């Protein structure tokens, strides 16, 4: 008598061979443009003070998943944003949970003030770099 094929063992072997895991990335950044369409009141027509004078800008949504070793070092998020006019803005966000997400909002009311590129660094309490994630356009400045 033939034994039925066990799919669980087959897929488990494939995942272990390829090294795939289902844990989320340690550091991930998503970029979101904020316009009047971002507000629900604009679509449904409710009374909202932000409907006719919305804050225009960009959100950078940073999510993290620290390992136990990283969490024991009191990590913080350091976000470095370079705008189109080459100005750099730095924001530090202390982490209160081992896993989570934070939204950084950057208003841009005038042309040339939009985000050009960014770099997010997970640092420990004395400033050592643990992990980093950067946009494809990010390059370190030479000789300032």
């Amino acid at each position: 008598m033939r034994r039925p094929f066990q799919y669980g063992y087959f897929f488990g072997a494939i995942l272990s061979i390829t090294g795939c895991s289902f844990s989320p990335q340690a550091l991930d950044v998503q970029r979101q443009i904020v316009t009047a369409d971002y507000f629900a009141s604009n679509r449904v027509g409710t009374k909202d003070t932000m409907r006719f004078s919305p804050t225009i800008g960009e959100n950078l949504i940073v999510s993290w998943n620290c390992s136990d070793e990283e969490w024991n070092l009191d990590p913080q998020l350091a976000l470095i944003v370079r705008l189109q006019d080459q100005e750099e803005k730095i924001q530090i966000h202390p982490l209160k949970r081992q896993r989570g997400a934070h939204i950084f909002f950057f208003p841009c009311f005038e042309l040339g003030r939009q985000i050009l590129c960014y770099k997010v660094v997970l640092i420990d309490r004395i400033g050592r770099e643990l992990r980093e994630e950067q946009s494809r356009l990010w390059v370190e400045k030479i000789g300032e």
Side-chain angles (χ1 to χ4, degrees):
M1 181 169 171
R2 194 172 143 174
R3 188 170 183 208
F5 187 71
Q6 304 245 336
Y7 288 104
Y9 294 121
F10 175 72
F11 289 118
I14 295 295
L15 288 176
S16 65
I17 289 171
T18 60
C20 293
S21 67
F22 293 106
S23 63
Q25 277 189 302
L27 209 51
D28 186 47
V29 183
Q30 296 177 5
R31 192 169 169 177
Q32 180 182 43
I33 306 295
V34 177
T35 62
D37 293 335
Y38 179 77
F39 300 101
S41 61
N42 192 41
R43 296 186 185 268
V44 295
T46 60
K47 295 179 182 178
D48 184 3
T49 57
M50 295 298 290
R51 182 174 174 205
F52 298 109
S53 61
T55 304
I56 308 275
E58 295 182 60
N59 284 336
L60 286 181
I61 305 164
V62 180
S63 57
W64 65 88
N65 182 9
C66 296
S67 65
D68 291 335
E69 296 82 23
E70 291 170 338
W71 184 247
N72 291 333
L73 298 172
D74 297 328
Q76 299 180 9
L77 284 177
L79 173 66
I80 307 161
V81 171
R82 189 171 300 142
L83 303 176
Q84 288 179 348
D85 62 359
Q86 298 302 314
E87 178 187 348
E88 284 190 0
K89 294 187 176 192
I90 300 173
Q91 293 187 14
I92 305 289
H93 178 70
L95 302 184
K96 297 177 182 163
R97 291 172 289 172
Q98 194 168 356
R99 292 172 190 84
H102 183 74
I103 300 174
F104 294 93
F105 177 71
F106 292 92
C108 51
F109 300 107
E110 55 208 47
L111 195 60
R113 301 287 297 170
Q114 291 88 9
I115 295 175
L116 177 65
C117 56
Y118 59 85
K119 178 179 176 181
V120 178
V121 183
L122 188 66
I123 56 175
D124 64 3
R125 64 179 155 263
I126 58 174
R128 286 183 302 192
E129 185 176 308
L130 302 174
R131 294 183 186 268
E132 80 172 35
E133 181 71 27
Q134 59 193 23
S135 65
R136 292 182 183 194
L137 294 177
W138 182 266
V139 291
E140 298 295 334
K141 285 187 173 182
I142 302 173
E144 291 193 46

